[in-house]
Each structure stands twice: as structure tokens, then as C-alpha cells.
Amino acid sequence: MSKTEISTNTITLANGVRMPRVGLGTWRTSEGDEVKNSVQIALSNGYRLIDTATIYGNESGIGEALKSSGVPREEIFVTTKVWNSDHGYTETKKAFDLSARKLQLDYIDHYMIHWPVHGKFIDTWKAIEDLYDAGKVRTIGVSNFLPDHLEELAASARILPMVNQVEFHPYLQSPDLIAACAEMGIVVEAWSPIMQGKVTQVPELQEIGKRYGKTPAQVSLRWIFQKNIVIIPKSIRKSRILENADIFDFELTEEETARIDALDRGQRFGPDPGNFDF
Ligand code: NDP
């Protein structure tokens, strides 16, 4: 695998800041040694984007791993998210400060609204815009926003979200949402990009992978990468952290891309952002 390729592959967000196109997910990675190890392995193998959230409960371990990594701060791009119970102007600012303290960071690279909590996300966004103006966060975005949520936010926002992190993989391709983000200049970031491990069972991905000596996970990640969508596969295992980054030495053809496009069946592995109650 080429360390250079993963660390230098970036996408430019609306304010000119460059965000890595491949990162490490950390949902269900435990606080302490587990998260420290996986972040350390990732950073020493070229990963520069680390995705976490208040609700994952692992920001302290990530902070320790970042500090001990020896990688210059300016090369690292850390994303965290305000949780649903912390919505509101004052609460969001408090939640941000707590995350920054746990991560041991003076500034955070990307701060997101985790879920579009109805009736609350407008005030939350105002706080995030103010954190951005104050230089405490370099880029700002949302997660799990459907086109309606984006429109509602855009109607009062001073600054549009720069990223929308949503569930995206071969079985859930949400073409309307992807088109809405493109129209608004919002970069899409895919969560569960390997379907929480289930891509290994998809015959089309197995078959295409065999042509290149690649695994179904690598085919799924490459397919998303070729759509200019950011990917943040999660693993706590060194072999898979390396495998998931080793996607730069092959290119899917139009025919292969179309075959994977045809797998869309609107199937979610996570909650529906249009109907959630947490
Ligand atoms: P992924 O699609 O990244 O799959 C992770 C699972 O697949 C883990 O069980 C992992 O196990 C396994 N796995 C990892 N690599 C491979 C591989 N190469 N082959 C087979 N299995 C593999 O799912 P996630 O839901 O974790 O999504 C990625 C990240 O997106 C999250 O970690 C989180 O940071 C973010 N996210 C954001 C959400 C949001 O609401 N904004 C919601 C959900 C996720 P193991 O660790 O044992 O290797």
C-alpha cells in the first residue's frame, strides 16, 4: 500500500480547506487502548482523517493517540459531532468545548450536527457558525440531513454546511440526496461504506474484486471514492485498517461501476433520518 496516496488524497471544501478523502471511523471502538491502538495504526500508515462523535465516548483516547503520534497537528483532520441531547445554542458551545478538551485540541478541523433533531438544529447551527467565526473550528457540516433538512437549514444559515455525512454504500445510494448536496456545493461523506462488514457477502463485489486481486471491502470503498465521496471505514484490526486504505492501485471501469450502481435497493443498516426518535 502507498502511504503517500492516502495522506495526500484530499477534496477541497467550500471554504478552500482540504479534507482527506479516506479516513478512519471509530463508532463502536471502545475508549482507552482499543481506540488509541486503532488511531495509532491508522496515523502511522498514512491516514490523516479521524472521525469520532461525542456519543461514541472515545474522544479522550483519540486525543492521547493524536498527541503521541508524532504527526504534525496541521496534517491531521479530526471530525467530531454534537449529540442530540446537546442541541441548542448554549448547549452546543458547551459540548464543543468539552469535545475539544477531551481531544486535547485548540481547534477542531470539522464539527457536525450528528442528527437533524427537529425544531432544534437551527439554533445549534448558529452556535456552530459562531464557533467557525471564532476560529475554533476550520470547517463545519451536518450528518444525516435529507434534502428537506438541508433546505430548512439553508433558509436561515449564514454559512452552508460544507459536508453532509450520510449512510452510503452499494445497497443505499440515495440519488436525490447526492444530487441535492452537489447542487449546494456540499461534499458527501459516506458512513458504513462497507455495510458494517456485510459487503463481503455481495457476489458482484466478490467477482469484481477477483479481477484486481482486491477484497469486496476494497471494491466498495473504491467505488465510493470514484464518486468523489469521502469514506471513513471503521476497523480496530491492523490488517483491515491497511486493507481499507489500499485502494489506490486499481480503477473500476464504467461497466463495473454501473454494475455496482445497479445494486441500490434503498436498504439502510442504520436509522432513517426522516423518522428517528432519539
Ligand atoms: P463500516 O461500514 O465502516 O464497517 C465497520 C465494520 O466492518 C466493523 O464491524 C469492522 O470490524 C468490519 N470491517 C472493517 N473492515 C473490514 C474489511 N476490510 N472486511 C470486512 N469487515 C471489515 O461501518 P460503520 O458503521 O462503523 O461506519 C464507518 C464510520 O462512519 C463509523 O465508524 C463512524 O465513524 C461513522 N458513522 C457515522 C454515523 C453518523 O450517524 N454520522 C453512523 C454510523 C457510522 P472490525 O473493527 O472488527 O475490523
Side-chain angles (χ1 to χ4, degrees):
M1 166 193 117
S2 159
K3 282 189 194 181
T4 323
E5 294 240 39
I6 179 169
S7 54
T8 56
N9 247 299
T10 57
I11 190 160
T12 303
L13 304 184
N15 66 345
V17 171
R18 286 148 61 122
M19 175 181 188
R21 293 177 63 184
V22 182
L24 179 76
T26 66
W27 180 40
R28 292 174 169 155
T29 303
S30 309
E31 180 61 295
D33 285 346
E34 189 168 274
V35 81
K36 272 198 275 180
N37 287 338
S38 55
V39 171
Q40 270 158 1
I41 292 165
L43 289 176
S44 59
N45 286 282
Y47 282 77
R48 290 295 176 265
L49 162 58
I50 308 295
D51 182 75
T52 184
T54 305
I55 195 70
Y56 303 169
N58 57 20
E59 290 171 313
S60 298
I62 292 177
E64 286 177 40
L66 297 174
K67 211 168 177 191
S68 63
S69 70
V71 179
R73 169 68 186 99
E74 62 276 12
E75 282 185 21
I76 299 175
F77 192 99
V78 180
T79 296
T80 192
K81 319 183 187 88
V82 55
W83 184 240
N84 300 356
S85 52
D86 293 327
H87 272 259
Y89 188 86
T90 318
E91 294 86 343
T92 297
K93 286 193 151 181
K94 241 163 85 182
F96 178 90
D97 286 342
L98 188 58
S99 286
R101 206 171 327 135
K102 286 187 173 170
L103 289 162
Q104 302 187 48
L105 298 176
D106 298 333
Y107 65 89
I108 288 177
D109 299 279
H110 191 83
Y111 200 50
M112 298 189 146
I113 298 183
H114 204 150
W115 286 86
V117 177
H118 186 65
K120 298 214 172 158
F121 65 73
I122 300 288
D123 281 348
T124 301
W125 188 250
K126 283 190 174 47
I128 293 180
E129 289 175 325
D130 288 353
L131 289 165
Y132 176 76
D133 287 343
K136 291 187 171 187
V137 55
R138 291 171 68 215
T139 62
I140 56 179
V142 294
S143 177
N144 301 303
F145 273 50
L146 298 175
D148 286 355
H149 301 125
L150 291 174
E151 268 174 41
E152 187 183 338
L153 188 63
S156 66
R158 283 191 293 115
I159 308 166
L160 280 183
M162 298 164 194
V163 174
N164 189 10
Q165 184 185 110
V166 297
E167 182 176 350
F168 185 93
H169 45 67
Y171 285 174
L172 182 72
Q173 299 180 29
S174 316
D176 295 348
L177 174 58
I178 304 305
C181 289
E183 219 165 276
M184 296 171 85
I186 299 172
V187 166
V188 178
E189 183 176 27
W191 60 258
S192 295
I194 48 176
M195 299 184 355
Q196 303 180 0
K198 293 174 196 71
V199 284
T200 54
Q201 294 150 30
V202 178
E204 290 83 354
L205 300 178
Q206 294 167 347
E207 201 272 309
I208 293 169
K210 277 198 191 113
R211 299 180 191 175
Y212 299 100
K214 294 288 173 183
T215 64
Q218 290 169 323
V219 174
S220 182
L221 293 168
R222 179 75 205 187
W223 169 77
I224 302 174
F225 178 83
Q226 286 185 204
K227 292 183 183 298
N228 289 324
I229 293 177
V230 174
I231 41 180
I232 44 169
K234 173 264 178 187
S235 182
I236 55 167
R237 291 160 220 279
K238 182 171 182 184
S239 59
R240 286 175 171 174
I241 293 173
L242 299 186
E243 176 187 329
N244 295 340
D246 186 12
I247 59 162
F248 298 104
D249 58 354
F250 74 115
E251 188 161 353
L252 299 171
T253 64
E254 272 179 37
E255 178 265 330
E256 289 159 349
T257 300
R259 256 182 93 192
I260 305 173
D261 289 350
L263 296 176
D264 188 13
R265 52 194 202 196
Q267 182 181 343
R268 293 184 184 280
F269 293 96
D272 182 350
N275 182 24
F276 65 99
D277 62 356
F278 52 87

